[in-house]
Amino acid sequence: MTIRAVVWGENVHEQTNRVVSGIYPDGMHETIAASLRADGIDASTATLQQPEHGLTEARLAKTDVLLWWGHAAHGDVSDDVVARVADHVNAGMGLILLHSAHFAKIFKRLMGTPCNLTWREAGERERLWVTSRNHPIAAGLPLHFELENEEMYGEPFGVPEPLETVFISWFQGGEVFRSGLTYKRGAGNVFYFRPGHETYPTYHDANVQTVLRNAVRWAYNPAPRVIDVNDAPNVPVETALEPIEERGPRLHKDGEEGYR
């Protein structure tokens, strides 16, 4: 079965910075999507500037895996769209967060932590080490690979303890960073991947493209989407699986939704 992926791009620096537009004339989102299509993934794109940021309810319902890149305009993303994406992740849609999406509203919402880190923009060499050799996201990669120019991200990284750490990065300045982290949120698989600063050709790198292709296949959940993920239904006494007798006073009346 073909995996349907949507690559969401903020699409700001591609329009305002000549260096970025020179590296990614069609946008980072299209470069990423093209590399996924080359591997048989049905990849389309969406951007911040589109109505509802291109992430309507109907679009998300047909999306198996959403990839998210943002940097300069995290605050411009609609809270309603963020809530919608979170619901779909909890219902089973895969989500891949790229580089500066560590500060995206959707990542911070799903992590429940500040997601802060240290950083330096100096075009340093980054060496990524595979720390989980048999992980599907690392399939086909050498034990380590290098990016000649990247922005440094350093520990501490203010995120919850991941299920798995797939990559750790070392930078020329001496810092290290957990660069490939997996999580489970509801029924959805979530992966954070660090490389991808917009003034460097990171998404043209063959190893990075391999990671993203593997990550899409890993994040894909073939099971039907969970329905009504936010429901918290009351179970009346008379429908209990075993016979019980109601005892003591009640705060709620039959049919009430309860407090949230």
Side-chain angles (χ1 to χ4, degrees):
M1 182 177 180
T2 302
I3 300 174
R4 300 165 299 181
V6 172
V7 183
W8 189 89
E10 185 181 84
N11 196 33
V12 171
H13 284 126
E14 293 97 323
Q15 302 182 65
T16 60
N17 185 289
R18 290 185 179 181
V19 173
V20 179
S21 63
I23 298 171
Y24 301 106
D26 298 318
M28 284 181 285
H29 49 284
E30 178 54 37
T31 298
I32 295 169
S35 72
L36 299 179
R37 293 184 201 117
D39 198 42
I41 297 167
D42 180 5
S44 59
T45 63
T47 63
L48 175 72
Q49 296 78 22
Q50 295 173 331
E52 300 184 64
H53 309 324
L55 300 175
T56 63
E57 176 63 32
R59 182 96 181 266
L60 290 174
K62 297 179 180 178
T63 300
D64 296 314
V65 180
L66 175 64
L67 296 88
W68 189 288
W69 192 101
H71 189 186
H74 295 314
D76 294 339
V77 177
S78 163
D79 290 340
D80 289 341
V81 172
V82 172
R84 184 184 303 157
V85 171
D87 284 348
H88 277 276
V89 172
N90 284 318
M93 182 182 73
L95 179 65
I96 298 171
L97 292 307
L98 302 174
H99 189 57
S100 44
H102 71 91
F103 265 164
K105 287 181 178 179
I106 181 60
F107 191 53
K108 295 177 78 172
R109 175 176 179 134
L110 292 173
M111 296 298 104
T113 57
C115 301
N116 55 320
L117 45 79
T118 64
W119 62 281
R120 179 174 55 244
E121 188 180 15
E124 299 170 57
R125 181 181 303 111
E126 175 180 5
R127 181 176 296 132
L128 291 102
W129 288 90
V130 175
T131 55
S132 183
R133 295 187 184 184
N134 290 328
H135 199 283
I137 294 176
L141 294 173
L143 293 181
H144 61 80
F145 63 93
E146 295 185 359
L147 300 171
E148 186 59 33
N149 300 111
E150 253 299 346
E151 181 181 23
M152 183 279 291
Y153 281 4
E155 296 286 347
F157 188 15
V159 292
E161 190 67 22
L163 292 175
E164 301 155 304
T165 300
V166 185
F167 303 104
I168 288 179
S169 290
W170 167 90
F171 296 89
Q172 279 184 283
E175 290 87 356
V176 295
F177 192 77
R178 292 168 290 162
S179 286
L181 307 179
T182 69
Y183 295 92
K184 189 83 169 180
R185 290 296 180 265
N189 297 315
V190 178
F191 179 60
Y192 172 77
F193 186 52
R194 196 220 70 83
H197 190 59
E198 55 267 45
T199 59
Y200 309 125
T202 300
Y203 294 120
H204 294 290
D205 182 86
N207 286 317
V208 170
Q209 291 182 357
T210 294
V211 172
L212 297 183
R213 292 166 178 168
N214 289 344
V216 167
R217 298 189 184 282
W218 169 86
Y220 170 59
N221 181 357
R225 201 71 49 95
V226 176
I227 305 299
D228 301 326
V229 292
N230 293 310
D231 280 4
N234 174 264
V235 180
V237 170
E238 57 271 19
T239 63
L241 294 178
E242 300 291 340
I244 59 172
E245 179 181 343
E246 183 178 333
R247 301 185 297 175
R250 284 202 290 169
L251 181 66
H252 298 285
K253 297 179 182 179
D254 289 339
E256 285 188 7
E257 293 187 359
Y259 301 126
R260 297 198 182 204

